[in-house]
Amino acid sequence: MSDMTTRMYDVVVIGGGAAGLSGALTLSRARRSVLVIDAGSPRNAPASHAHNYLGREGIPPEQLLAIGREEASGYGAEIVEGEAVAAEKLPGGTGFRVVREDGTVVTARRLLVTTGLVDELPPIPGLAERWGRDVLHCPYCHGWEVRDLPVGIVALSPMAVRQALLWRQWSDDVTLFLHNAPEPGDEEYEQLAARGIAVVDGEVTGLEVSGDRLTGVRLADGRVVPREAVVVQPRFTARSGVLDGLGLHATALEVGGHTVGTYIAADPAGATEVPGVWVAGNVTNLMEQVIGAAAAGQKAGAAINGHLMTEDVRRAVEARRAPFSAEAERQVCEQTLGSRRHGLQETR
């Protein structure tokens, strides 16, 4: 039996992305024993570069994670590949038990869950194959890379007009495809017209691609509108199944009456309603970018260390008092026994 399965870690981190590795780095630098379980399926894997990460602008996502793993392990954090499939409380509130897909079981005093989310795309042929390349959703992540190109916004919710107005900042050639979303109101049409954004009726049925490059958007009536980038709003679904056994379930997030995804509720430091369990990154904040996820992991790591420190102090105080309590009990027993002997002598 390996040391991993017999020891109790201070913290098990479930998820090895920016949030998880940042939390692991913070905790291992605080001299905590840390195990990171990494499923190896980061959300930004389809993207060629990560952006808006100060000091690492434009770095490939896999390179950023490799650097993070090296930094965290350099301070003693252990990192293993595999998926954590279940978590449950240990008897007596002493910690948590985590089960990996291969049946391996590890235990920890605290959990930090940074499993991220899944981008659920609409069922339009061709979107998934080009996701993260020229099918996009975040202008702050990809707007600069498609600046001045013909951009198409596929409307999927009432937020589509705002999307189109936002992306207009990166290109003066933006077309809003109404697809199956509600038609804009008069004020919205005026805003779109004022910004020179074209509006196209009809259902989007696919994409046109030539030479591994997006060239157009195909409509149900056969029309093809030339476009070199397409924007869609996926549904953001928290990867939270591992938390089900702890009674933590995802909450729906609504924006303007439209459900945009699900998340695990937590306080600003990442603490959930289950004592001893923290979350960080996209599993709790659907809009978080990479640098924000890393910051959230650091904040959660510091909060967890503080929580452990309080427990360590309490245990130390109890241990310090224990010998004195035992000595006091011994003295009471001796006094009681002496009194009884004295009483017997007087009776005689």
Side-chain angles (χ1 to χ4, degrees):
M1 184 175 294
S2 69
D3 178 63
M4 183 188 304
T5 59
T6 57
R7 71 183 295 191
M8 174 174 279
Y9 290 88
D10 286 325
V11 184
V12 165
V13 180
I14 304 176
L21 290 174
S22 181
L25 177 63
T26 300
L27 287 159
S28 57
R29 280 179 50 82
R31 308 191 75 176
R32 295 295 181 185
S33 58
V34 180
L35 175 68
V36 179
I37 302 175
D38 183 12
S41 54
R43 177 192 179 196
N44 60 357
S48 58
H49 299 89
H51 297 287
N52 299 314
Y53 201 117
L54 188 63
R56 298 286 184 179
E57 167 58 27
I59 188 173
E62 66 275 12
Q63 184 179 342
L64 180 64
L65 295 183
I67 292 171
R69 286 191 290 269
E70 182 178 358
E71 290 177 345
S73 60
Y75 289 100
E78 299 177 43
I79 302 173
V80 296
E81 294 183 358
E83 182 179 359
V85 295
E88 61 185 15
K89 297 177 184 177
L90 291 173
T94 56
F96 302 90
R97 177 177 180 267
V98 179
V99 183
R100 293 164 55 194
E101 59 186 345
D102 62 0
T104 302
V105 176
V106 295
T107 56
R109 297 168 64 189
R110 303 291 187 272
L111 295 182
L112 173 56
V113 179
T114 60
T115 44
L117 60 79
V118 175
D119 294 297
E120 296 183 356
L121 299 174
I124 297 175
L127 289 186
E129 291 79 4
R130 308 204 64 80
W131 178 242
R133 299 164 65 190
D134 39 31
V135 174
L136 315 165
H137 83 281
C138 173
Y140 301 105
C141 301
H142 304 287
W144 177 264
E145 283 63 45
V146 298
R147 64 192 184 282
D148 300 326
L149 296 181
V151 176
I153 314 294
V154 179
L156 299 171
S157 75
M159 296 183 295
V161 171
R162 179 173 176 79
Q163 277 184 294
L165 293 170
L166 185 59
W167 278 87
R168 174 63 178 80
Q169 191 168 327
W170 282 266
S171 173
D172 60 4
D173 187 356
V174 175
T175 296
L176 175 63
F177 295 91
L178 292 183
H179 189 47
N180 55 14
E183 186 173 1
D186 292 342
E187 183 178 353
E188 291 176 315
Y189 266 124
E190 184 178 21
Q191 292 172 344
L192 293 167
R195 291 293 281 155
I197 298 172
V199 179
V200 175
D201 292 316
E203 181 183 358
V204 174
T205 56
L207 304 179
E208 292 288 316
V209 177
S210 177
D212 197 30
R213 293 188 62 180
L214 176 66
T215 59
V217 173
R218 187 171 60 253
L219 300 170
D221 60 9
R223 288 178 294 163
V224 174
V225 180
R227 296 289 93 182
E228 294 182 37
V230 165
V231 175
V232 295
Q233 180 65 57
R235 178 184 172 90
F236 304 128
T237 301
R239 290 174 172 161
S240 59
V242 70
L243 294 171
D244 288 346
L246 296 171
L248 281 173
H249 304 291
T251 300
L253 176 65
E254 291 191 2
V255 177
H258 176 73
T259 300
V260 299
T262 60
Y263 69 101
I264 296 295
D267 74 6
T272 70
E273 63 183 23
V274 175
V277 180
W278 275 256
V279 290
N282 285 144
V283 72
T284 184
N285 187 335
L286 305 183
M287 308 305 173
E288 201 79 271
Q289 294 188 41
V290 179
I291 194 168
Q298 189 280 329
K299 183 183 292 186
I304 293 170
N305 183 63
H307 204 253
L308 287 169
M309 181 271 292
T310 300
E311 183 177 278
D312 291 341
V313 171
R314 176 181 59 78
R315 288 179 176 179
V317 170
E318 291 174 353
R320 184 178 185 276
R321 290 174 177 173
F324 294 99
S325 298
E327 176 65 17
E329 184 177 353
R330 184 184 64 79
Q331 292 177 1
V332 169
C333 289
E334 288 183 351
Q335 291 172 0
T336 302
L337 182 58
S339 297
R340 288 176 179 173
R341 287 173 178 169
H342 181 68
L344 288 171
Q345 290 174 354
E346 287 184 344
T347 302
R348 291 174 183 168

